[in-house]
């Protein structure tokens, strides 16, 4: 029996529901449609495959499906680059499950050289996190900026890394820290969905998703939407309990030596109120840090 993956089924069906006939360049007709987006047969025709073949794909059976067909389906469903990459990750897991299980476990320790690098960025808050959104390290200003997360009761223990996803969905303080909590929640779920496809047998990620699904109805609803994506750059407003509102740009950086760990750097506009508040926060962090022997 051919291997099937319900994630493929759910992902393709939710993408199909988002594409209207008008978006696909099809006549809308005058009849009442029973589905919100394209029908399976419409996707099949536009992708250049038979209805039976596409139905098998959407049911999660990607055995023998060529990259050309995957590209055609992604094009018809108007997937983003991240969504297309996610589809290929799912296909890889279905086609070669044994190889997917043998993938190297993502690193959970920041090498000393990388820690020295982020420490040298003394005027910029920097945190290092893995695909599960565990904060593995930070420079002093990054630690000060995310102090609410370090102090959150969602942290499993004093020595466990704080987790951004747990904070967003399980800590009421998140609504005060993020000016746009809804956007933070959407972004968090998209990142975890993407990570789940690239490391499907990561026990830490499985446990995290299970806990959030059990404890947060909001997380369950967003997870069921099957939206994916990465968070590479942009801006966000954070509220720090000691210095006030901070309007920050951010850049995601990946080092070739540790591709499973991402560095997030937060940048203030020069001579802005945020830049002044970051200087104050840096001073507060310096006075709060005990001298090292």
């Amino acid at each position: 029996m051919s291997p099937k993956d319900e994630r493929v089924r759910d992902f393709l069906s939710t993408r199909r529901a988002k594409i209207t006939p008008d978006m696909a360049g099809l006549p809308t007709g005058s009849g009442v449609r029973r589905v919100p987006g394209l029908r399976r047969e419409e996707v099949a025709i536009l992708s250049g495959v038979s209805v039976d073949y596409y139905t098998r794909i959407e049911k999660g059976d990607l055995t023998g499906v060529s990259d050309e067909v995957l590209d055609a389906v992604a094009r018809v469903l108007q997937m983003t680059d991240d969504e297309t990459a996610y589809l290929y990750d799912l296909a890889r897991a279905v086609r070669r499950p044994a190889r997917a299980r043998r993938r190297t476990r993502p690193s959970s320790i920041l090498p000393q050289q990388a820690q020295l690098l982020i420490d040298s960025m003394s005027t910029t808050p920097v945190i290092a996190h893995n695909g599960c959104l565990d904060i593995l390290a930070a420079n002093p200003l990054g630690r000060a900026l995310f102090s609410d997360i370090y102090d959150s009761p969602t942290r499993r223990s004093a020595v466990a890394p704080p987790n951004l996803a747990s904070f967003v969905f399980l800590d009421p303080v998140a609504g005060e820290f993020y000016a746009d909590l809804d956007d933070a929640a959407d972004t968090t779920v998209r990142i975890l969905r993407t990570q789940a496809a690239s490391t499907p047998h990561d026990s830490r990620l499985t446990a995290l998703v299970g806990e959030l699904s059990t404890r947060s109805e909001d997380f369950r609803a967003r997870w069921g939407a099957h939206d994916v994506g990465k968070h590479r750059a942009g801006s966000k407003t954070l509220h720090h309990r000691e210095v006030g509102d901070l309007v920050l740009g951010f850049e995601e950086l990946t080092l070739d030596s540790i591709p499973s760990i991402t560095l997030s750097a937060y940048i203030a506009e020069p001579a802005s109120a945020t830049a002044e508040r970051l200087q104050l926060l840096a001073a507060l962090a310096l006075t709060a840090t005990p001298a090292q022997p």
Side-chain angles (χ1 to χ4, degrees):
M1 185 175 181
S2 298
K4 294 183 179 180
D5 192 321
E6 64 181 21
R7 293 174 303 169
V8 176
R9 178 198 66 200
D10 294 339
F11 178 63
L12 289 178
S13 62
T14 54
R15 296 318 93 184
R16 178 165 58 84
K18 291 186 175 186
I19 306 300
T20 64
D22 184 61
M23 292 170 63
L26 295 174
T28 56
S30 58
V32 177
R33 297 178 65 88
R34 291 182 296 176
V35 293
L38 294 179
R39 301 184 181 99
R40 281 179 177 173
E41 54 265 31
E42 291 170 332
V43 177
I45 292 171
L46 293 172
S47 302
V49 298
S50 69
V51 176
D52 287 344
Y53 192 68
Y54 176 74
T55 299
R56 177 168 70 85
I57 291 173
E58 192 173 294
K59 286 184 176 181
D61 183 0
L62 297 179
T63 307
V65 177
S66 68
D67 290 349
E68 289 77 13
V69 171
L70 291 180
D71 286 339
V73 170
R75 184 185 67 253
V76 170
L77 297 182
Q78 301 181 23
M79 292 184 189
T80 64
D81 290 344
D82 288 338
E83 288 173 331
T84 302
Y86 178 77
L87 177 61
Y88 268 88
D89 279 338
L90 293 180
R92 193 174 298 114
V94 172
R95 292 164 172 170
R96 298 185 291 273
R99 183 176 299 180
R101 284 193 293 272
R102 289 196 300 268
R103 277 194 172 191
T104 303
R105 181 181 176 86
S107 176
S108 60
I109 300 175
L110 190 72
Q112 182 182 17
Q113 185 164 295
Q115 180 69 63
L116 292 173
L117 170 65
I118 65 175
D119 285 343
S120 70
M121 303 164 69
S122 57
T123 61
T124 301
V126 183
I127 60 173
H129 60 82
N130 58 19
C132 296
L133 299 180
D134 293 317
I135 300 180
L136 306 177
N139 63 6
L141 192 50
R143 172 67 173 76
L145 177 62
F146 288 92
S147 57
D148 278 343
I149 301 173
Y150 277 90
D151 298 339
S152 174
T154 62
R155 199 170 176 183
R156 289 175 291 164
S157 70
V159 296
N163 182 267
L164 290 161
S166 295
F167 176 73
V168 166
F169 286 100
L170 302 179
D171 194 331
V173 173
E176 302 172 14
F177 182 70
Y178 290 103
D180 191 344
L181 182 59
D182 194 58
D183 177 70
D186 279 340
T187 298
T188 297
V189 172
R190 286 196 293 265
I191 292 172
L192 293 182
R193 265 285 176 200
T194 301
Q195 184 66 20
S198 60
T199 57
H201 303 285
D202 183 351
S203 58
R204 164 62 183 141
L205 180 59
T206 300
L208 175 63
V209 171
E211 179 188 17
L212 295 177
S213 298
T214 301
R215 299 179 60 186
S216 171
E217 183 178 350
D218 185 26
F219 178 83
R220 287 197 302 274
R222 295 174 195 269
W223 188 255
H226 288 264
D227 291 331
V228 299
K230 296 186 177 180
H231 205 41
R232 297 179 178 88
S235 63
K236 62 179 62 180
T237 300
L238 305 176
H239 179 80
H240 193 278
R241 60 177 179 259
E242 293 185 279
V243 300
D245 290 340
L246 300 166
V247 182
L248 297 163
F250 67 89
E251 290 285 343
E252 301 281 280
L253 311 173
T254 302
L255 305 179
D256 287 344
S257 59
I258 42 170
S260 63
I261 296 178
T262 299
L263 305 183
S264 295
Y266 295 84
I267 307 103
E269 190 73 25
S272 64
T274 292
E276 293 178 0
R277 289 167 184 163
L278 274 186
Q279 289 180 346
L280 174 59
L281 184 60
L284 293 172
L286 185 63
T287 58
T289 303
Q292 295 298 316

